Amino acid sequence: MQNMDFYDGRHLRSMPPQFDKSDPEYFARTTRALDRENDTNHNRAVRMLTLITALIIIAFTTGLVVGIKFAGGAERSIVDEKTYNTMNSISSKMSGLVKEISGENRQANTLYPKDEFPFVIQLGKEYSETDTKNVAQFLSSKGHTVIVSKSRDNFRIFTGPYKTENEARKTLTEISLYRQYAISANAQIIKRI
C-alpha cells in the first residue's frame, strides 16, 4: 500500500455546523433578544447616518457661504436685500401665529368687524359649561365658526359672523337639520349691535 498524505493546507480546525439560533421551536427566548438587538442596531445605524448627513450638509453650506464671502470681497453681502426682507417678514408672521396659538387671542371685533360681518346665528337657549363644550365641538367639527358668550353663570352659543343675511339663512337651514343637543330649537338670525 502506498503512503498518502492527507494534509490540505488548512491550519484551523473545522467547526461543527452551528444550530440556527433564530428557530423559535427550540430557542423561543433568544429570538426576542435577537430581534431587539437587531432593532437596536438598526436604530443606531439610522441615527449615525442622520448625524453624518447633517454634518455633511452643514459643512457644505458653511463652505459655500465662506466661499461666496471671500470671492465677493468685503463689500458684497451674502444675502441680498430682497431675500433678507422676505425672511424677516416670514419670521414675524410665524411668531405672530405662535402667539395666537399660545393663547394671546385677538378680539373678535378686530377679526370680524361689525361693518363687514353684521349677522350671527344665536342658538336657542343658554347652556351649562359642559354642554357648551360639547355643542361647540360638534359645530366646529361640522365646519362652523363658533362664538361662545358668557352670561352670568351660563353660556350662549353663536355661529358666524356672516357678511350677508342670505349666507346666514343658508347656514341656519343647515343647522336646522342637526338633531344633536337640540341645536335647531329656537335658533335665529340676529344683527350685531
Side-chain angles (χ1 to χ4, degrees):
M1 210 156 153
Q2 191 176 9
N3 260 344
M4 295 180 100
D5 188 10
F6 291 109
Y7 178 72
D8 60 356
R10 284 191 246 164
H11 300 294
L12 298 174
R13 290 187 319 204
S14 62
M15 301 294 279
Q18 297 290 322
F19 289 109
D20 185 14
K21 292 184 181 174
S22 63
D23 186 3
E25 186 176 353
Y26 298 111
F27 302 100
R29 284 187 177 175
T30 57
T31 56
R32 280 184 247 127
L34 286 173
D35 289 341
R36 266 187 261 127
E37 186 178 340
N38 287 339
D39 289 343
T40 304
N41 290 340
H42 180 264
N43 290 339
R44 283 183 188 160
V46 167
R47 274 187 251 129
M48 185 63 71
L49 284 174
T50 305
L51 178 67
I52 291 170
T53 305
L55 289 175
I56 289 171
I57 291 171
I58 291 170
F60 177 76
T61 307
T62 305
L64 192 64
V65 168
V66 169
I68 290 171
K69 187 65 177 171
F70 283 129
E75 60 275 343
R76 182 168 179 180
S77 63
I78 294 174
V79 179
D80 65 318
E81 194 71 28
K82 186 176 180 181
T83 306
Y84 180 77
N85 291 336
T86 304
M87 294 307 289
N88 273 346
S89 68
I90 288 173
S91 67
S92 64
K93 287 177 185 175
M94 289 304 293
S95 64
L97 286 176
V98 170
K99 285 180 184 175
E100 284 180 21
I101 292 171
S102 67
E104 297 178 16
N105 294 328
R106 293 184 286 171
Q107 291 292 325
N109 292 335
T110 59
L111 288 174
Y112 301 105
K114 292 177 185 176
D115 301 341
E116 292 180 41
F117 301 93
F119 300 101
V120 293
I121 297 175
Q122 179 181 0
L123 301 178
K125 60 176 187 170
E126 292 184 347
Y127 295 94
S128 67
E129 187 174 354
T130 56
D131 290 340
T132 302
K133 288 180 183 176
N134 293 335
V135 171
Q137 285 178 351
F138 174 74
L139 288 171
S140 293
S141 70
K142 296 293 185 180
H144 300 287
T145 304
V146 179
I147 304 167
V148 177
S149 170
K150 186 171 184 177
S151 64
R152 297 182 207 103
D153 295 334
N154 293 328
F155 296 89
R156 288 189 176 167
I157 299 177
F158 302 89
T159 63
Y162 305 100
K163 287 187 175 185
T164 63
E165 192 172 357
N166 289 336
E167 189 179 340
R169 286 190 194 285
K170 286 179 189 176
T171 306
L172 184 60
T173 57
E174 187 179 326
I175 289 175
S176 67
L177 299 175
Y178 301 149
R179 299 291 175 225
Q180 293 85 350
Y181 306 109
I183 294 172
S184 60
N186 298 327
Q188 60 183 351
I189 299 172
I190 60 172
K191 192 167 186 177
R192 294 170 68 190
I193 301 172

